């Protein structure tokens, strides 16, 4: 009994000594990792972590317009979105750490709604710059991009849930200095809550579903399975950098690439927040992460949220690794297109559907110019005169499409990024054209051509 008591006292004394040592050292930085300035990790230049004061002096002009429109969010589903610059997500913005962002918000709401801005990358007073802007009004302010990473911007007018869930968000990448060149994509994860109503009607936001976090779709870059039939491309062993921002508004994205591992993961995209050899990493709503990986073998590598209750709601895309992939861009646009992962300039791919927006007549002195992308043909409604019809079709995608009209026996295939002419005879009537490759028509690649009058 005495021996047990003695052992117990010894253990208590030992734990007390350990506890006192821990308390004494709590909050202290280990000597080997100490930074004489106390504000950054040793070995990294200050600009790679943050900048002080007024930054580099380089000014980047950024203007966002708050407006409502209609966007295709899944095959056959058009949704009334509240947007920045007419798309959900809004433009991909890129600046360099230290830049001054000269920002302007114009509210052109057609629904009479007030809107605002909240840049997660900025340090600026909420009560001055993040307040509601009434329809017809404009707000301008400057801020310095002091921290590198990938950050959310969004409308912050209450109820914020409604404004974000209806589409008012986007990603801004603040690039650190000295970042190794890579093939880069910006992916914005989000939830869409569509009350689809009767068939053929434009869907609107379902507030009850938003409040219960029961989304109709969980997507990357504004559309269910956007990169399933239009894969992101890369070459074997090429450094791939994915800037992933989760707009939410509620769910965490457990980001994972099937068949691959992440060489490095950086929380918020800050190079000082490094993890190595990661399989899956949670990106919280309102947060971002930079993922770097190299994939050694050719093939298809799906990326998903590993929260599988939501994966099947549209949160699936594919990285296609091939020796034949186009060379990576040498630079990326300041204002990038959200439907190409920020690779092309803003507005490069159509995703917005407005009644009558695509109507037009063929010029009398030349062919009708069209573009083709997995999101659709532009224009999707064409008017021409009877007789010989000539269409000049530019493929915006890095994979094949075709132009097909069954009634007129028209079939014109075209390869990646190719421009072709479709020439055929057509009498009066309205004909449907589409891409016949499986899955492409369902993704929105169809339209009508109205032929009127006599030949020309």
């Amino acid at each position: 009994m005495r021996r047990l008591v003695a052992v117990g006292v010894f253990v208590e004394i030992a734990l007390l000594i350990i506890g006192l040592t821990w308390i004494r050292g709590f909050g202290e930085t280990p000597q080997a990792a100490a930074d004489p300035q106390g504000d950054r990790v040793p070995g990294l230049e200050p600009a790679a972590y943050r900048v002080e004061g007024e930054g580099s002096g380089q000014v980047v002009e950024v203007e966002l317009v708050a407006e409502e429109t209609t966007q295709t969010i899944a095959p056959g589903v058009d949704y009334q979105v509240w947007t920045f610059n007419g798309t959900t997500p809004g433009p991909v913005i890129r600046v360099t750490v230290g830049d001054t962002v000269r920002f302007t918000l114009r509210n052109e709401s057609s629904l009479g709604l007030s809107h605002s801005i909240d840049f997660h990358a900025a340090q600026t007073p909420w009560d001055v710059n993040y307040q509601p802007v009434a329809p017809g009004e404009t707000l301008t302010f400057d801020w310095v991009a002091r921290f590198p990473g990938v950050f959310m911007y969004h409308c912050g007018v209450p109820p914020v849930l409604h404004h974000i869930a209806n589409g008012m968000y986007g990603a801004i990448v603040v690039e650190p200095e000295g970042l190794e060149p890579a093939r880069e994509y910006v992916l914005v994860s989000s939830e869409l809550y569509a009350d689809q109503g009767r068939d053929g009607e434009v869907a609107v936001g379902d507030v009850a579903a938003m409040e219960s976090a029961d989304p109709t779709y969980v997507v990357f870059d504004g559309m269910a399975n956007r990169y399933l039939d239009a894969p992101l491309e890369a070459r074997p062993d090429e450094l791939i950098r994915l800037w992933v921002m989760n707009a939410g508004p509620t769910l965490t994205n457990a980001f994972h690439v099937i068949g691959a591992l992440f060489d490095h993961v950086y929380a918020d995209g800050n190079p000082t927040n490094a993890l190595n050899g990661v399989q899956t990493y949670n990106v919280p709503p309102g947060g971002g992460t930079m993922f770097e990986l190299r994939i050694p073998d050719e093939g298809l590598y799906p990326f998903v949220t590993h929260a599988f209750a939501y994966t099947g709601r549209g949160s699936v895309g594919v990285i296609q690794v091939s020796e034949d992939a186009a060379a990576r861009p040498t630079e990326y646009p300041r204002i990038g297109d959200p439907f190409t992962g920020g690779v092309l300039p803003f507005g490069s791919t159509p995703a917005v559907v407005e009644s009558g927006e695509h109507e037009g007549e063929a010029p009398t002195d030349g062919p009708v110019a069209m573009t083709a992308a997995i999101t659709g043909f532009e224009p999707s409604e064409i008017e021409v005169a009877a007789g010989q019809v000539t269409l000049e079709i530019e493929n915006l995608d890095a994979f094949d499409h075709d132009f097909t009209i069954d009634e007129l026996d028209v079939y014109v295939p075209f390869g990646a990024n190719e421009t072709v002419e479709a020439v055929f005879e057509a009498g009066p009537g309205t004909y449907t054209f589409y891409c016949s490759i499986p899955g492409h028509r369902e993704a929105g690649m169809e339209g009508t051509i109205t032929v009127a009058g006599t030949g020309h």
Side-chain angles (χ1 to χ4, degrees):
M1 185 67 173
R2 288 180 181 175
R3 178 174 297 177
L4 290 174
V5 171
V7 170
V9 171
F10 175 77
V11 170
E12 288 181 7
I13 293 173
L15 290 173
L16 179 61
I17 293 171
I18 293 170
L20 289 173
T21 303
W22 180 82
I23 292 170
R24 189 171 133 196
F26 183 75
E28 292 182 2
T29 304
Q31 198 64 37
D35 172 34
Q37 297 180 9
D39 63 354
R40 66 182 180 89
V41 173
L44 287 172
E45 292 301 317
Y49 176 48
R50 72 177 184 195
V51 297
E52 306 289 351
E54 296 306 311
S56 64
Q58 179 170 327
V59 176
V60 178
E61 302 274 354
V62 174
E63 180 178 82
L64 296 178
V65 178
E67 56 187 339
E68 299 86 22
T69 187
T70 301
Q71 179 170 309
T72 301
I73 60 171
V77 181
D78 294 336
Y79 181 69
Q80 184 188 68
V81 283
W82 306 355
T83 76
F84 291 111
N85 291 23
T87 64
T88 292
V92 174
I93 301 168
R94 279 182 180 261
V95 299
T96 302
V97 68
D99 286 352
T100 295
V101 177
R102 183 149 295 158
F103 174 70
T104 300
L105 173 65
R106 288 193 290 117
N107 186 355
E108 296 186 359
S109 171
S110 58
L111 300 178
L113 299 173
S114 291
H115 294 300
S116 69
I117 193 66
D118 181 339
F119 278 106
H120 287 197
Q123 294 169 291
T124 190
W126 165 84
D127 60 329
V128 177
N129 293 327
Y130 287 175
Q131 297 304 297
V133 177
E137 299 295 321
T138 298
L139 170 71
T140 300
F141 62 93
D142 292 357
W143 58 276
V144 177
R146 295 190 174 94
F147 287 81
V150 56
F151 302 93
M152 182 179 183
Y153 66 82
H154 64 91
C155 178
V157 171
V160 182
L161 172 65
H162 298 178
H163 288 253
I164 296 178
N166 278 309
M168 298 198 75
Y169 50 80
I172 178 168
V173 174
V174 182
E175 296 183 11
E177 294 180 355
L179 204 58
E180 181 180 353
R183 186 183 294 270
E184 299 187 8
Y185 297 102
V186 181
L187 300 175
V188 177
S189 173
S190 66
E191 306 131 38
L192 296 169
Y193 298 83
D195 181 358
Q196 295 183 233
R198 295 187 298 274
D199 289 345
E201 288 189 344
V202 173
V204 296
D206 185 333
V207 173
M210 295 175 193
E211 293 174 347
S212 61
D214 184 18
T216 316
Y217 303 102
V218 180
V219 304
F220 291 105
D221 291 349
M223 184 176 182
N225 303 327
R226 177 175 294 281
Y227 300 111
L228 196 57
D229 292 322
L232 306 179
E233 61 176 5
R235 292 177 176 176
D237 278 323
E238 180 177 42
L239 178 60
I240 304 168
R241 181 173 295 120
L242 304 176
W243 303 93
V244 180
M245 191 278 287
N246 182 10
T250 303
L251 302 179
T252 294
N253 188 300
F255 191 71
H256 174 76
V257 177
I258 300 173
L261 283 167
F262 301 119
D263 294 16
H264 310 291
V265 172
Y266 305 88
D268 277 330
N270 192 310
T272 63
N273 301 333
L275 296 173
N276 303 306
V278 177
Q279 57 185 316
T280 301
Y281 190 81
N282 281 349
V283 185
T289 303
M290 180 174 71
F291 296 86
E292 291 184 338
L293 68 160
R294 296 179 188 270
I295 301 176
D297 299 321
E298 290 188 303
L300 299 178
Y301 297 82
F303 56 90
V304 300
T305 176
H306 218 278
F308 278 108
Y310 303 105
T311 309
R313 302 190 190 190
S315 191
V316 181
V318 173
I319 301 173
Q320 183 172 12
V321 178
S322 170
E323 292 283 3
D324 298 328
R328 65 169 178 80
T330 56
E331 60 181 7
Y332 296 89
R334 284 286 194 187
I335 306 296
D337 190 280
F339 309 129
T340 62
V343 173
L344 298 179
F346 180 73
S348 297
T349 56
V352 176
V353 179
E354 287 283 13
S355 177
E357 177 186 0
H358 304 313
E359 295 176 1
E361 292 188 8
T364 58
D365 57 349
V368 177
M370 298 179 64
T371 59
I374 192 64
T375 49
F377 291 96
E378 170 72 24
S380 62
E381 297 179 14
I382 302 169
E383 294 181 6
V384 297
Q388 181 173 290
V389 178
T390 302
L391 307 178
E392 186 177 87
I393 308 171
E394 179 187 3
N395 184 2
L396 299 178
D397 289 332
F399 46 91
D400 296 349
H401 290 305
D402 65 57
F403 179 87
T404 300
I405 304 177
D406 292 332
E407 301 95 322
L408 301 178
D409 198 25
V410 174
Y411 171 72
V412 180
F414 40 93
N417 303 121
E418 183 181 1
T419 298
V420 298
E421 278 196 349
V423 182
F424 53 93
E425 294 289 328
T430 298
Y431 308 94
T432 297
F433 60 83
Y434 64 98
C435 179
S436 68
I437 296 174
H440 289 205
R441 186 176 189 176
E442 293 77 4
M445 294 195 70
E446 68 176 358
T448 58
I449 181 168
T450 299
V451 182
T454 58
H456 58 278

